[in-house]
mmCIF file of all heavy atoms in Angstrom:
data_model
loop_
_atom_site.group_PDB
_atom_site.id
_atom_site.type_symbol
_atom_site.label_atom_id
_atom_site.label_comp_id
_atom_site.label_asym_id
_atom_site.label_seq_id
_atom_site.Cartn_x
_atom_site.Cartn_y
_atom_site.Cartn_z
ATOM 1 N N ARG A 346 -19.636 190.884 160.057
ATOM 2 C CA ARG A 346 -21.088 190.597 160.063
ATOM 3 C C ARG A 346 -21.682 190.719 161.425
ATOM 4 O O ARG A 346 -22.834 191.216 161.558
ATOM 5 C CB ARG A 346 -21.310 189.154 159.495
ATOM 6 C CG ARG A 346 -21.039 189.076 158.059
ATOM 7 C CD ARG A 346 -21.255 187.606 157.542
ATOM 8 N NE ARG A 346 -20.842 187.526 156.166
ATOM 9 C CZ ARG A 346 -21.664 187.779 155.116
ATOM 10 N NH1 ARG A 346 -22.899 188.029 155.327
ATOM 11 N NH2 ARG A 346 -21.170 187.648 153.934
ATOM 12 N N SER A 347 -21.027 190.316 162.443
ATOM 13 C CA SER A 347 -21.589 190.417 163.790
ATOM 14 C C SER A 347 -21.718 191.907 164.202
ATOM 15 O O SER A 347 -22.700 192.249 164.886
ATOM 16 C CB SER A 347 -20.724 189.682 164.839
ATOM 17 O OG SER A 347 -19.398 190.154 164.858
ATOM 18 N N ASP A 348 -20.758 192.752 163.866
ATOM 19 C CA ASP A 348 -20.882 194.196 164.154
ATOM 20 C C ASP A 348 -22.049 194.784 163.460
ATOM 21 O O ASP A 348 -22.749 195.608 164.016
ATOM 22 C CB ASP A 348 -19.599 194.888 163.762
ATOM 23 C CG ASP A 348 -18.404 194.551 164.664
ATOM 24 O OD1 ASP A 348 -18.638 194.015 165.755
ATOM 25 O OD2 ASP A 348 -17.253 194.808 164.238
ATOM 26 N N ILE A 349 -22.232 194.413 162.156
ATOM 27 C CA ILE A 349 -23.368 195.002 161.414
ATOM 28 C C ILE A 349 -24.666 194.497 161.968
ATOM 29 O O ILE A 349 -25.622 195.293 162.059
ATOM 30 C CB ILE A 349 -23.184 194.576 159.887
ATOM 31 C CG1 ILE A 349 -21.995 195.233 159.286
ATOM 32 C CG2 ILE A 349 -24.500 194.920 159.125
ATOM 33 C CD1 ILE A 349 -21.655 194.741 157.904
ATOM 34 N N ARG A 350 -24.794 193.207 162.351
ATOM 35 C CA ARG A 350 -25.995 192.694 162.924
ATOM 36 C C ARG A 350 -26.313 193.391 164.238
ATOM 37 O O ARG A 350 -27.488 193.745 164.488
ATOM 38 C CB ARG A 350 -25.890 191.195 163.088
ATOM 39 C CG ARG A 350 -25.906 190.407 161.801
ATOM 40 C CD ARG A 350 -25.742 188.961 161.897
ATOM 41 N NE ARG A 350 -26.834 188.352 162.621
ATOM 42 C CZ ARG A 350 -26.632 187.415 163.554
ATOM 43 N NH1 ARG A 350 -25.455 186.995 163.887
ATOM 44 N NH2 ARG A 350 -27.667 186.922 164.218
ATOM 45 N N GLU A 351 -25.308 193.718 165.079
ATOM 46 C CA GLU A 351 -25.487 194.447 166.265
ATOM 47 C C GLU A 351 -26.046 195.857 166.004
ATOM 48 O O GLU A 351 -26.983 196.351 166.656
ATOM 49 C CB GLU A 351 -24.211 194.581 167.082
ATOM 50 C CG GLU A 351 -23.756 193.352 167.737
ATOM 51 C CD GLU A 351 -24.422 193.074 169.054
ATOM 52 O OE1 GLU A 351 -24.994 194.034 169.630
ATOM 53 O OE2 GLU A 351 -24.434 191.881 169.476
ATOM 54 N N LEU A 352 -25.451 196.531 165.010
ATOM 55 C CA LEU A 352 -25.808 197.883 164.655
ATOM 56 C C LEU A 352 -27.232 197.928 164.124
ATOM 57 O O LEU A 352 -28.043 198.747 164.513
ATOM 58 C CB LEU A 352 -24.838 198.426 163.610
ATOM 59 C CG LEU A 352 -25.070 199.822 163.132
ATOM 60 C CD1 LEU A 352 -24.926 200.836 164.270
ATOM 61 C CD2 LEU A 352 -24.177 200.173 161.955
ATOM 62 N N ILE A 353 -27.574 197.036 163.244
ATOM 63 C CA ILE A 353 -28.942 197.005 162.655
ATOM 64 C C ILE A 353 -29.945 196.585 163.720
ATOM 65 O O ILE A 353 -31.094 197.169 163.770
ATOM 66 C CB ILE A 353 -28.989 195.987 161.492
ATOM 67 C CG1 ILE A 353 -28.075 196.434 160.384
ATOM 68 C CG2 ILE A 353 -30.436 195.849 160.994
ATOM 69 C CD1 ILE A 353 -28.287 197.795 159.803
ATOM 70 N N SER A 354 -29.639 195.679 164.607
ATOM 71 C CA SER A 354 -30.504 195.294 165.711
ATOM 72 C C SER A 354 -30.840 196.442 166.624
ATOM 73 O O SER A 354 -31.974 196.707 166.944
ATOM 74 C CB SER A 354 -29.893 194.136 166.502
ATOM 75 O OG SER A 354 -30.665 193.806 167.571
ATOM 76 N N SER A 355 -29.852 197.235 166.946
ATOM 77 C CA SER A 355 -30.097 198.396 167.822
ATOM 78 C C SER A 355 -30.809 199.527 167.087
ATOM 79 O O SER A 355 -31.610 200.247 167.646
ATOM 80 C CB SER A 355 -28.808 198.922 168.422
ATOM 81 O OG SER A 355 -27.941 199.369 167.444
ATOM 82 N N THR A 356 -30.534 199.668 165.771
ATOM 83 C CA THR A 356 -31.161 200.739 165.009
ATOM 84 C C THR A 356 -32.630 200.468 164.745
ATOM 85 O O THR A 356 -33.485 201.345 164.900
ATOM 86 C CB THR A 356 -30.420 200.879 163.599
ATOM 87 O OG1 THR A 356 -29.024 201.157 163.887
ATOM 88 C CG2 THR A 356 -31.062 202.004 162.869
ATOM 89 N N LEU A 357 -32.987 199.230 164.343
ATOM 90 C CA LEU A 357 -34.342 198.904 163.961
ATOM 91 C C LEU A 357 -35.149 198.203 165.113
ATOM 92 O O LEU A 357 -36.276 197.856 164.903
ATOM 93 C CB LEU A 357 -34.337 197.927 162.740
ATOM 94 C CG LEU A 357 -33.810 198.497 161.459
ATOM 95 C CD1 LEU A 357 -33.848 197.469 160.363
ATOM 96 C CD2 LEU A 357 -34.594 199.777 161.042
ATOM 97 N N LYS A 358 -34.488 197.984 166.235
ATOM 98 C CA LYS A 358 -35.114 197.310 167.395
ATOM 99 C C LYS A 358 -35.629 195.908 166.985
ATOM 100 O O LYS A 358 -36.717 195.484 167.323
ATOM 101 C CB LYS A 358 -36.278 198.120 167.970
ATOM 102 C CG LYS A 358 -35.939 199.533 168.278
ATOM 103 C CD LYS A 358 -34.975 199.629 169.473
ATOM 104 C CE LYS A 358 -34.743 201.084 169.921
ATOM 105 N NZ LYS A 358 -33.547 201.675 169.478
ATOM 106 N N ALA A 359 -34.819 195.191 166.222
ATOM 107 C CA ALA A 359 -35.132 193.867 165.744
ATOM 108 C C ALA A 359 -34.277 192.837 166.488
ATOM 109 O O ALA A 359 -33.145 193.149 166.848
ATOM 110 C CB ALA A 359 -34.883 193.763 164.217
ATOM 111 N N PRO A 360 -34.792 191.652 166.718
ATOM 112 C CA PRO A 360 -33.965 190.624 167.401
ATOM 113 C C PRO A 360 -32.795 190.227 166.512
ATOM 114 O O PRO A 360 -32.896 190.007 165.310
ATOM 115 C CB PRO A 360 -34.931 189.442 167.562
ATOM 116 C CG PRO A 360 -36.270 189.930 167.302
ATOM 117 C CD PRO A 360 -36.134 191.202 166.456
ATOM 118 N N LYS A 361 -31.601 190.184 167.135
ATOM 119 C CA LYS A 361 -30.348 189.891 166.396
ATOM 120 C C LYS A 361 -30.373 188.464 165.759
ATOM 121 O O LYS A 361 -29.791 188.322 164.689
ATOM 122 C CB LYS A 361 -29.171 190.058 167.356
ATOM 123 C CG LYS A 361 -27.848 189.896 166.744
ATOM 124 C CD LYS A 361 -26.766 190.007 167.741
ATOM 125 C CE LYS A 361 -25.443 189.615 167.119
ATOM 126 N NZ LYS A 361 -24.360 189.590 168.034
ATOM 127 N N ASP A 362 -31.027 187.555 166.375
ATOM 128 C CA ASP A 362 -31.016 186.188 165.887
ATOM 129 C C ASP A 362 -31.976 185.958 164.688
ATOM 130 O O ASP A 362 -32.004 184.898 164.129
ATOM 131 C CB ASP A 362 -31.329 185.181 167.000
ATOM 132 C CG ASP A 362 -32.677 185.409 167.617
ATOM 133 O OD1 ASP A 362 -33.213 186.516 167.555
ATOM 134 O OD2 ASP A 362 -33.194 184.394 168.174
ATOM 135 N N LEU A 363 -32.682 187.020 164.272
ATOM 136 C CA LEU A 363 -33.571 186.931 163.112
ATOM 137 C C LEU A 363 -33.009 187.751 161.937
ATOM 138 O O LEU A 363 -33.632 187.859 160.847
ATOM 139 C CB LEU A 363 -34.971 187.436 163.454
ATOM 140 C CG LEU A 363 -35.751 186.583 164.463
ATOM 141 C CD1 LEU A 363 -37.124 187.180 164.736
ATOM 142 C CD2 LEU A 363 -35.867 185.190 164.042
ATOM 143 N N ILE A 364 -31.815 188.337 162.088
ATOM 144 C CA ILE A 364 -31.239 189.150 161.025
ATOM 145 C C ILE A 364 -30.183 188.295 160.245
ATOM 146 O O ILE A 364 -29.311 187.667 160.865
ATOM 147 C CB ILE A 364 -30.496 190.343 161.613
ATOM 148 C CG1 ILE A 364 -31.503 191.273 162.343
ATOM 149 C CG2 ILE A 364 -29.705 191.121 160.556
ATOM 150 C CD1 ILE A 364 -30.874 192.420 163.088
ATOM 151 N N VAL A 365 -30.350 188.237 158.963
ATOM 152 C CA VAL A 365 -29.470 187.459 158.088
ATOM 153 C C VAL A 365 -28.854 188.359 157.022
ATOM 154 O O VAL A 365 -29.572 189.005 156.271
ATOM 155 C CB VAL A 365 -30.212 186.340 157.363
ATOM 156 C CG1 VAL A 365 -29.310 185.587 156.399
ATOM 157 C CG2 VAL A 365 -30.865 185.371 158.371
ATOM 158 N N ILE A 366 -27.530 188.499 157.072
ATOM 159 C CA ILE A 366 -26.822 189.317 156.117
ATOM 160 C C ILE A 366 -26.508 188.448 154.914
ATOM 161 O O ILE A 366 -25.855 187.451 155.023
ATOM 162 C CB ILE A 366 -25.574 189.930 156.698
ATOM 163 C CG1 ILE A 366 -25.923 190.833 157.896
ATOM 164 C CG2 ILE A 366 -24.740 190.670 155.631
ATOM 165 C CD1 ILE A 366 -24.769 191.386 158.660
ATOM 166 N N ARG A 367 -26.967 188.844 153.753
ATOM 167 C CA ARG A 367 -26.749 188.128 152.520
ATOM 168 C C ARG A 367 -25.466 188.528 151.843
ATOM 169 O O ARG A 367 -24.730 187.733 151.283
ATOM 170 C CB ARG A 367 -27.916 188.234 151.544
ATOM 171 C CG ARG A 367 -29.221 187.570 152.025
ATOM 172 C CD ARG A 367 -29.050 186.111 152.143
ATOM 173 N NE ARG A 367 -28.897 185.508 150.840
ATOM 174 C CZ ARG A 367 -29.574 184.513 150.366
ATOM 175 N NH1 ARG A 367 -30.541 183.988 151.062
ATOM 176 N NH2 ARG A 367 -29.346 184.051 149.165
ATOM 177 N N LYS A 368 -25.259 189.858 151.741
ATOM 178 C CA LYS A 368 -24.146 190.384 150.953
ATOM 179 C C LYS A 368 -23.576 191.642 151.590
ATOM 180 O O LYS A 368 -24.365 192.537 152.014
ATOM 181 C CB LYS A 368 -24.624 190.654 149.546
ATOM 182 C CG LYS A 368 -23.527 190.977 148.573
ATOM 183 C CD LYS A 368 -24.114 191.354 147.189
ATOM 184 C CE LYS A 368 -24.941 190.285 146.604
ATOM 185 N NZ LYS A 368 -25.417 190.560 145.279
ATOM 186 N N ILE A 369 -22.299 191.823 151.599
ATOM 187 C CA ILE A 369 -21.618 193.071 151.981
ATOM 188 C C ILE A 369 -20.733 193.425 150.816
ATOM 189 O O ILE A 369 -19.906 192.674 150.364
ATOM 190 C CB ILE A 369 -20.753 192.868 153.202
ATOM 191 C CG1 ILE A 369 -21.562 192.374 154.436
ATOM 192 C CG2 ILE A 369 -20.042 194.170 153.570
ATOM 193 C CD1 ILE A 369 -20.745 192.008 155.635
ATOM 194 N N LYS A 370 -20.955 194.623 150.304
ATOM 195 C CA LYS A 370 -20.173 195.080 149.164
ATOM 196 C C LYS A 370 -19.555 196.430 149.536
ATOM 197 O O LYS A 370 -20.236 197.373 149.836
ATOM 198 C CB LYS A 370 -21.032 195.208 147.917
ATOM 199 C CG LYS A 370 -20.250 195.580 146.709
ATOM 200 C CD LYS A 370 -21.102 195.223 145.491
ATOM 201 C CE LYS A 370 -20.223 195.521 144.262
ATOM 202 N NZ LYS A 370 -20.198 194.432 143.367
ATOM 203 N N THR A 371 -18.217 196.493 149.506
ATOM 204 C CA THR A 371 -17.470 197.738 149.779
ATOM 205 C C THR A 371 -16.750 198.113 148.544
ATOM 206 O O THR A 371 -15.771 197.419 148.166
ATOM 207 C CB THR A 371 -16.551 197.520 150.948
ATOM 208 O OG1 THR A 371 -17.278 197.041 152.100
ATOM 209 C CG2 THR A 371 -15.866 198.850 151.333
ATOM 210 N N PRO A 372 -17.119 199.234 147.899
ATOM 211 C CA PRO A 372 -16.351 199.711 146.732
ATOM 212 C C PRO A 372 -14.933 200.085 147.138
ATOM 213 O O PRO A 372 -14.654 200.561 148.226
ATOM 214 C CB PRO A 372 -17.069 201.002 146.261
ATOM 215 C CG PRO A 372 -18.429 200.875 146.920
ATOM 216 C CD PRO A 372 -18.246 200.075 148.155
ATOM 217 N N PHE A 373 -13.954 199.801 146.242
ATOM 218 C CA PHE A 373 -12.533 200.032 146.468
ATOM 219 C C PHE A 373 -12.237 201.495 146.796
ATOM 220 O O PHE A 373 -12.696 202.404 146.090
ATOM 221 C CB PHE A 373 -11.697 199.581 145.290
ATOM 222 C CG PHE A 373 -10.213 199.783 145.458
ATOM 223 C CD1 PHE A 373 -9.498 198.925 146.300
ATOM 224 C CD2 PHE A 373 -9.532 200.840 144.895
ATOM 225 C CE1 PHE A 373 -8.162 199.074 146.468
ATOM 226 C CE2 PHE A 373 -8.199 201.019 145.057
ATOM 227 C CZ PHE A 373 -7.470 200.094 145.898
ATOM 228 N N GLY A 374 -11.538 201.707 147.936
ATOM 229 C CA GLY A 374 -11.164 203.046 148.282
ATOM 230 C C GLY A 374 -12.190 203.876 148.970
ATOM 231 O O GLY A 374 -12.021 205.081 149.213
ATOM 232 N N LYS A 375 -13.386 203.273 149.251
ATOM 233 C CA LYS A 375 -14.455 204.079 149.867
ATOM 234 C C LYS A 375 -14.622 203.645 151.315
ATOM 235 O O LYS A 375 -14.259 202.552 151.718
ATOM 236 C CB LYS A 375 -15.821 203.788 149.145
ATOM 237 C CG LYS A 375 -15.829 204.127 147.720
ATOM 238 C CD LYS A 375 -16.280 205.600 147.575
ATOM 239 C CE LYS A 375 -16.488 205.913 146.131
ATOM 240 N NZ LYS A 375 -17.280 207.064 145.917
ATOM 241 N N ASN A 376 -15.157 204.540 152.163
ATOM 242 C CA ASN A 376 -15.509 204.249 153.543
ATOM 243 C C ASN A 376 -16.982 203.951 153.728
ATOM 244 O O ASN A 376 -17.554 204.321 154.744
ATOM 245 C CB ASN A 376 -15.038 205.440 154.427
ATOM 246 C CG ASN A 376 -13.598 205.547 154.521
ATOM 247 O OD1 ASN A 376 -12.854 204.583 154.415
ATOM 248 N ND2 ASN A 376 -13.128 206.747 154.773
ATOM 249 N N GLU A 377 -17.555 203.331 152.744
ATOM 250 C CA GLU A 377 -18.946 202.943 152.872
ATOM 251 C C GLU A 377 -19.199 201.577 152.307
ATOM 252 O O GLU A 377 -18.455 201.099 151.446
ATOM 253 C CB GLU A 377 -19.852 203.988 152.114
ATOM 254 C CG GLU A 377 -19.504 204.113 150.641
ATOM 255 C CD GLU A 377 -20.252 205.291 150.011
ATOM 256 O OE1 GLU A 377 -20.548 206.248 150.669
ATOM 257 O OE2 GLU A 377 -20.465 205.181 148.787
ATOM 258 N N SER A 378 -20.177 200.866 152.905
ATOM 259 C CA SER A 378 -20.473 199.483 152.454
ATOM 260 C C SER A 378 -21.966 199.420 152.227
ATOM 261 O O SER A 378 -22.728 200.110 152.881
ATOM 262 C CB SER A 378 -20.087 198.495 153.572
ATOM 263 O OG SER A 378 -18.725 198.503 153.811
ATOM 264 N N PHE A 379 -22.316 198.605 151.205
ATOM 265 C CA PHE A 379 -23.716 198.329 150.910
ATOM 266 C C PHE A 379 -24.046 196.963 151.402
ATOM 267 O O PHE A 379 -23.370 195.958 151.045
ATOM 268 C CB PHE A 379 -23.958 198.467 149.454
ATOM 269 C CG PHE A 379 -23.744 199.923 148.957
ATOM 270 C CD1 PHE A 379 -22.529 200.295 148.463
ATOM 271 C CD2 PHE A 379 -24.719 200.864 149.051
ATOM 272 C CE1 PHE A 379 -22.290 201.626 148.033
ATOM 273 C CE2 PHE A 379 -24.521 202.159 148.654
ATOM 274 C CZ PHE A 379 -23.311 202.545 148.131
ATOM 275 N N ILE A 380 -25.054 196.893 152.268
ATOM 276 C CA ILE A 380 -25.425 195.635 152.956
ATOM 277 C C ILE A 380 -26.834 195.247 152.469
ATOM 278 O O ILE A 380 -27.751 195.952 152.620
ATOM 279 C CB ILE A 380 -25.414 195.830 154.490
ATOM 280 C CG1 ILE A 380 -24.229 196.645 154.986
ATOM 281 C CG2 ILE A 380 -25.628 194.520 155.191
ATOM 282 C CD1 ILE A 380 -22.920 196.045 154.772
ATOM 283 N N GLU A 381 -26.917 193.966 152.017
ATOM 284 C CA GLU A 381 -28.214 193.345 151.696
ATOM 285 C C GLU A 381 -28.495 192.350 152.792
ATOM 286 O O GLU A 381 -27.714 191.461 153.072
ATOM 287 C CB GLU A 381 -28.108 192.662 150.354
ATOM 288 C CG GLU A 381 -29.354 191.934 149.941
ATOM 289 C CD GLU A 381 -29.151 191.181 148.647
ATOM 290 O OE1 GLU A 381 -28.452 191.648 147.716
ATOM 291 O OE2 GLU A 381 -29.703 190.093 148.547
ATOM 292 N N LEU A 382 -29.628 192.579 153.490
ATOM 293 C CA LEU A 382 -29.993 191.726 154.645
ATOM 294 C C LEU A 382 -31.465 191.525 154.695
ATOM 295 O O LEU A 382 -32.269 192.280 154.126
ATOM 296 C CB LEU A 382 -29.401 192.230 155.953
ATOM 297 C CG LEU A 382 -29.882 193.583 156.543
ATOM 298 C CD1 LEU A 382 -31.171 193.418 157.311
ATOM 299 C CD2 LEU A 382 -28.849 194.100 157.419
ATOM 300 N N PHE A 383 -31.838 190.415 155.378
ATOM 301 C CA PHE A 383 -33.189 190.063 155.621
ATOM 302 C C PHE A 383 -33.498 189.963 157.092
ATOM 303 O O PHE A 383 -32.670 189.509 157.857
ATOM 304 C CB PHE A 383 -33.543 188.686 155.008
ATOM 305 C CG PHE A 383 -33.277 188.567 153.524
ATOM 306 C CD1 PHE A 383 -32.807 187.360 152.976
ATOM 307 C CD2 PHE A 383 -33.398 189.618 152.684
ATOM 308 C CE1 PHE A 383 -32.522 187.216 151.662
ATOM 309 C CE2 PHE A 383 -33.101 189.479 151.295
ATOM 310 C CZ PHE A 383 -32.682 188.317 150.828
ATOM 311 N N ILE A 384 -34.672 190.453 157.466
ATOM 312 C CA ILE A 384 -35.082 190.232 158.868
ATOM 313 C C ILE A 384 -36.359 189.422 158.815
ATOM 314 O O ILE A 384 -37.369 189.790 158.219
ATOM 315 C CB ILE A 384 -35.400 191.630 159.564
ATOM 316 C CG1 ILE A 384 -34.133 192.455 159.597
ATOM 317 C CG2 ILE A 384 -35.922 191.366 161.011
ATOM 318 C CD1 ILE A 384 -34.321 193.813 160.163
ATOM 319 N N TYR A 385 -36.281 188.234 159.430
ATOM 320 C CA TYR A 385 -37.362 187.251 159.400
ATOM 321 C C TYR A 385 -38.392 187.480 160.515
ATOM 322 O O TYR A 385 -38.066 188.050 161.549
ATOM 323 C CB TYR A 385 -36.875 185.822 159.465
ATOM 324 C CG TYR A 385 -36.290 185.362 158.102
ATOM 325 C CD1 TYR A 385 -34.995 185.603 157.762
ATOM 326 C CD2 TYR A 385 -37.136 184.710 157.214
ATOM 327 C CE1 TYR A 385 -34.521 185.186 156.518
ATOM 328 C CE2 TYR A 385 -36.657 184.291 156.021
ATOM 329 C CZ TYR A 385 -35.358 184.548 155.676
ATOM 330 O OH TYR A 385 -34.843 184.153 154.439
ATOM 331 N N ASP A 386 -39.612 187.004 160.303
ATOM 332 C CA ASP A 386 -40.692 187.102 161.286
ATOM 333 C C ASP A 386 -40.468 186.098 162.396
ATOM 334 O O ASP A 386 -40.796 186.391 163.535
ATOM 335 C CB ASP A 386 -42.067 186.926 160.640
ATOM 336 C CG ASP A 386 -42.415 187.930 159.619
ATOM 337 O OD1 ASP A 386 -41.811 189.065 159.725
ATOM 338 O OD2 ASP A 386 -43.229 187.701 158.720
ATOM 339 N N ASN A 387 -40.000 184.902 162.049
ATOM 340 C CA ASN A 387 -39.738 183.882 163.102
ATOM 341 C C ASN A 387 -38.595 183.011 162.665
ATOM 342 O O ASN A 387 -38.201 182.921 161.506
ATOM 343 C CB ASN A 387 -41.008 183.058 163.410
ATOM 344 C CG ASN A 387 -41.504 182.319 162.158
ATOM 345 O OD1 ASN A 387 -40.746 181.649 161.474
ATOM 346 N ND2 ASN A 387 -42.796 182.419 161.922
ATOM 347 N N LYS A 388 -38.023 182.296 163.659
ATOM 348 C CA LYS A 388 -36.814 181.558 163.481
ATOM 349 C C LYS A 388 -37.042 180.305 162.639
ATOM 350 O O LYS A 388 -36.188 179.865 161.857
ATOM 351 C CB LYS A 388 -36.197 181.180 164.812
ATOM 352 C CG LYS A 388 -34.791 180.653 164.713
ATOM 353 C CD LYS A 388 -34.079 180.710 166.018
ATOM 354 C CE LYS A 388 -32.639 180.269 165.821
ATOM 355 N NZ LYS A 388 -31.714 181.067 166.526
ATOM 356 N N GLU A 389 -38.227 179.700 162.774
ATOM 357 C CA GLU A 389 -38.518 178.472 162.044
ATOM 358 C C GLU A 389 -38.499 178.696 160.516
ATOM 359 O O GLU A 389 -37.903 177.917 159.754
ATOM 360 C CB GLU A 389 -39.875 177.863 162.405
ATOM 361 C CG GLU A 389 -39.967 177.361 163.846
ATOM 362 C CD GLU A 389 -40.138 178.492 164.867
ATOM 363 O OE1 GLU A 389 -40.755 179.503 164.576
ATOM 364 O OE2 GLU A 389 -39.614 178.327 165.977
ATOM 365 N N LYS A 390 -39.156 179.779 160.059
ATOM 366 C CA LYS A 390 -39.123 180.137 158.646
ATOM 367 C C LYS A 390 -37.745 180.442 158.183
ATOM 368 O O LYS A 390 -37.390 180.136 157.007
ATOM 369 C CB LYS A 390 -40.082 181.270 158.379
ATOM 370 C CG LYS A 390 -41.536 180.953 158.522
ATOM 371 C CD LYS A 390 -41.930 179.943 157.448
ATOM 372 C CE LYS A 390 -43.412 179.573 157.623
ATOM 373 N NZ LYS A 390 -43.841 178.563 156.670
ATOM 374 N N MET A 391 -36.965 181.179 158.964
ATOM 375 C CA MET A 391 -35.589 181.484 158.612
ATOM 376 C C MET A 391 -34.787 180.230 158.338
ATOM 377 O O MET A 391 -34.078 180.098 157.348
ATOM 378 C CB MET A 391 -34.950 182.330 159.671
ATOM 379 C CG MET A 391 -33.487 182.681 159.391
ATOM 380 S SD MET A 391 -32.698 183.552 160.751
ATOM 381 C CE MET A 391 -32.557 182.237 161.929
ATOM 382 N N LEU A 392 -34.843 179.282 159.300
ATOM 383 C CA LEU A 392 -34.098 178.002 159.156
ATOM 384 C C LEU A 392 -34.594 177.218 157.951
ATOM 385 O O LEU A 392 -33.797 176.458 157.354
ATOM 386 C CB LEU A 392 -34.173 177.203 160.452
ATOM 387 C CG LEU A 392 -33.518 177.817 161.647
ATOM 388 C CD1 LEU A 392 -33.824 177.070 162.907
ATOM 389 C CD2 LEU A 392 -32.002 178.007 161.461
ATOM 390 N N GLU A 393 -35.874 177.312 157.638
ATOM 391 C CA GLU A 393 -36.422 176.549 156.503
ATOM 392 C C GLU A 393 -36.036 177.162 155.137
ATOM 393 O O GLU A 393 -35.722 176.461 154.189
ATOM 394 C CB GLU A 393 -37.978 176.592 156.628
ATOM 395 C CG GLU A 393 -38.745 175.878 155.570
ATOM 396 C CD GLU A 393 -40.225 176.044 155.780
ATOM 397 O OE1 GLU A 393 -40.687 176.006 156.925
ATOM 398 O OE2 GLU A 393 -40.929 176.187 154.742
#
């Protein structure tokens, strides 16, 4: 999760502390993962 958050943060230029990964799904035998994540506008709303 930390590697994915770093990658998404650098790709989208979003603050790392506002990225929340909800789900990581990797099909068996594949070299690809499907990531469901949210990027919040502010930390207060995220914690709420």
